[in-house]
Amino acid sequence: MKSPGIASLGFREAVQHFLETALLMDIPQSTRLYERACQSLATGVSSGIRRHATPSPMYYERADGPYFFDVDGHRFLDYTLAWGPLIVGSNHATLNARIAEQLSRGYTFGAQHRAEIEVAERLTQLVPGVEQVILSNSGTEAVQAALRLARASTGRAKFVKFEGHYHGWLNNVLVSYRPKASDPVETTPTCGGQPASEYADVISLPWNDLGALEQAFAKYPGEIAGVITEPILANSGSCLPEPGYLQGLVDLCRQHGAVSIFDEVITGFRIALGGAREYFGVQPDLSVYGKAIAGGFTLSAVGGKRAIFDVLRQGTTLHAGTYNGHPINLAAALATLEILSEPGTFARMHAHGQAIRAKLQSKSLATTGVGTIFSVHWGQKTPPKDYRATLQSDMASYTKFRLGMLEAGVLLLPDARWYVGAVHGEEQLAQVTSAIDKVLG
Ligand code: PLP
């Protein structure tokens, strides 16, 4: 890994360089494995965003409860939860037992089995207003299924998405994701290989702004099939919706015959058992779930009122997939939902996250979000309310902090987002708060 000469760096960069270099020396096995991976695995990593990891993409040998163990012999207290799914941690006895049991009964059938019904029933019991679901494997896929349902049931093509919101890596949704502060608010691609024809029907708007949405409906009467939003802007600074915003969005959709879609891939089974529907008391037409739903296994789902799935029953549109309803993932989901349903679980998780936030705030840092998913901001006097406001956050200072925390044995995500799960207890709280004290002085 090449780095600039230390003499050419400012103080902040010099500190960062020092930390990175110090850490690099301490992860020789990871560094070697990454070099080896780059020979055969294009880019060396399996998901684009991991490529730019600092100090270097790291390799893990195993995980247990809230701890990750890397190939260089370090143990890290984990607040990444693998970007969200590991809400009950790793090596959980109940999950292990249920998965082992299913393994001996069949890997997959490509056909019907009881757990599909059990998971569907459980989801309809847990999530307010969800009467039926469809199952798939990743959040990316489930978002596409929701958009197709919206388009098929309205007979319209356009949909609205908001700046800074992430709905998977496919061409029609990976737009207006990371515009610069100087860019106009419009639908722009995020990377190469995204032809304009694939996002021609996408209207990108600023979030938390009902006026902007109202104007879009006025500009495109009868053309907008749906509006998709993260209920908490977890992918860009964990900004919260303004009071009444989510209900206003759902109401505007109803008024204009469009389908409202909450992308709950992060918030589902994380901010409450019933996700944003329960937490904010708002029921959109469709909700998309992933990540925490199966505790680290690849399940996603779309849920809503029975009528919204009529287009599938009538055969007007299609949803399919070789691995849909995969028995192992469903066994993991049933176990995860059972663990999360234990009384007091969400209160405990939120209290844990709020205690970390209080510690960070005591260091004059702003935090946004809720207990179980939040972000920390350097250089913000007030918590940001939308994507553009998060651009003012000083990410270089966060990176320095994150690398310090890594040295102190705590693993954090590169984008300042913290995931808290049922796996974090008093012992972990003591460990993380003392690491924060150590790093921030
Ligand atoms: N939607 C949201 C809100 C997400 O955060 C993500 C992934 O981070 C996705 C969709 C895509 O999910 P997946 O990575 O499982 O395809």
Side-chain angles (χ1 to χ4, degrees):
M1 192 186 283
K2 283 232 164 66
S3 45
I6 194 95
S8 65
L9 300 175
F11 174 72
R12 177 173 290 156
E13 289 79 10
V15 171
Q16 187 167 334
H17 171 87
F18 169 78
L19 284 168
E20 290 187 13
T21 314
L23 273 159
L24 262 181
M25 289 188 300
D26 203 24
I27 53 167
Q29 299 294 345
S30 268
T31 314
R32 239 170 265 142
L33 284 172
Y34 180 55
E35 280 164 15
R36 179 176 150 203
C38 287
Q39 304 304 311
S40 53
L41 183 63
T43 79
V45 296
S46 295
S47 177
I49 218 149
R50 300 177 200 162
R51 192 172 166 206
H52 306 289
T54 53
S56 171
M58 287 173 57
Y59 285 73
Y60 297 95
E61 210 126 55
R62 68 187 182 91
D64 191 18
Y67 296 103
F68 277 21
F69 298 82
D70 78 352
V71 290
D72 286 292
H74 302 109
R75 183 185 85 153
F76 295 109
L77 170 56
D78 172 44
Y79 281 94
T80 72
L81 299 187
W83 296 82
L86 295 177
I87 193 155
V88 299
S90 298
N91 198 22
H92 194 290
T94 311
L95 255 87
N96 289 1
R98 299 290 177 74
I99 290 159
E101 194 188 323
Q102 182 56 52
L103 277 174
S104 64
R105 285 195 279 123
Y107 303 146
T108 189
F109 304 114
Q112 292 55 248
H113 58 106
R114 277 200 182 82
E116 292 176 317
I117 309 171
E118 288 164 8
V119 166
E121 286 174 351
R122 201 78 195 103
L123 297 179
T124 61
Q125 287 154 5
L126 296 179
V127 186
V130 165
E131 293 173 353
Q132 289 200 322
V133 298
I134 54 174
L135 304 174
S136 50
N137 303 280
S138 69
T140 297
E141 261 186 283
V143 161
Q144 295 300 317
L147 290 172
R148 184 177 283 177
L149 281 167
R151 285 167 154 169
S153 56
T154 58
R156 304 173 180 176
K158 293 192 191 305
F159 68 87
V160 169
K161 88 163 285 273
F162 299 97
E163 275 197 341
H165 291 230
Y166 181 72
H167 304 294
W169 62 275
L170 297 188
N171 283 343
N172 60 350
V173 287
L174 193 63
V175 291
S176 315
Y177 172 50
R178 287 287 176 263
K180 292 199 287 291
S182 54
D183 290 342
V185 181
E186 60 186 14
T187 304
T188 45
T190 303
C191 61
Q194 290 190 270
S197 57
E198 301 213 8
Y199 53 82
D201 286 318
V202 186
I203 303 159
S204 296
L205 298 179
W207 194 60
N208 251 338
D209 182 348
L210 283 179
L213 184 57
E214 222 164 348
Q215 275 172 24
F217 275 120
K219 188 168 173 194
Y220 303 102
E223 289 185 69
I224 298 175
V227 175
I228 185 164
T229 183
E230 291 186 56
I232 292 178
L233 183 36
N235 277 293
S236 296
S238 302
C239 306
L240 288 175
E242 295 279 24
Y245 177 69
L246 293 175
Q247 188 61 59
L249 181 153
V250 169
D251 291 345
L252 275 175
C253 285
R254 297 225 163 110
Q255 204 178 313
H256 293 277
V259 174
S260 50
I261 307 167
F262 282 6
D263 180 347
E264 294 228 43
V265 168
I266 290 180
T267 52
F269 309 98
R270 162 160 298 288
I271 63 173
L273 202 48
R277 285 173 178 250
E278 179 183 329
Y279 192 91
F280 294 111
V282 180
Q283 292 187 12
D285 296 312
L286 286 174
S287 297
V288 181
Y289 300 96
K291 295 198 192 261
I293 194 174
F297 289 78
T298 50
L299 177 67
S300 60
V302 180
K305 291 255 185 274
R306 191 186 151 81
I308 196 107
F309 298 103
D310 280 349
V311 281
L312 287 173
R313 267 185 294 276
Q314 291 155 359
T316 345
T317 193
L318 177 73
H319 169 243
T322 300
Y323 295 110
N324 287 1
H326 195 284
I328 305 295
N329 300 333
L330 295 185
L334 284 170
T336 303
L337 297 177
E338 189 179 303
I339 299 160
L340 292 178
S341 300
E342 283 163 18
T345 303
F346 281 84
R348 257 197 314 277
M349 289 197 289
H350 278 297
H352 187 105
Q354 296 298 6
I356 300 175
R357 292 180 67 184
K359 171 58 82 177
L360 291 164
Q361 284 160 8
S362 76
K363 312 285 181 192
S364 302
L365 296 168
T367 68
T368 42
V370 297
T372 52
I373 173 77
F374 65 87
S375 295
V376 56
H377 303 268
W378 265 254
Q380 296 268 18
K381 288 208 173 67
T382 50
K385 292 200 168 141
D386 67 2
Y387 166 75
R388 298 252 166 173
T390 65
L391 294 176
Q392 306 301 320
S393 297
D394 169 6
M395 289 308 288
S397 292
Y398 170 73
T399 303
K400 184 178 136 192
F401 166 73
R402 181 177 60 78
L403 291 170
M405 290 292 280
L406 194 64
E407 286 232 307
V410 179
L411 195 59
L412 300 177
L413 284 174
D415 69 353
R417 179 185 349 172
W418 293 56
Y419 279 105
V420 173
V423 68
H424 295 123
E426 288 305 313
E427 186 187 332
Q428 288 74 38
L429 187 59
Q431 191 181 340
V432 70
T433 50
S434 95
I436 292 170
D437 277 334
K438 189 170 152 202
V439 175
L440 295 179

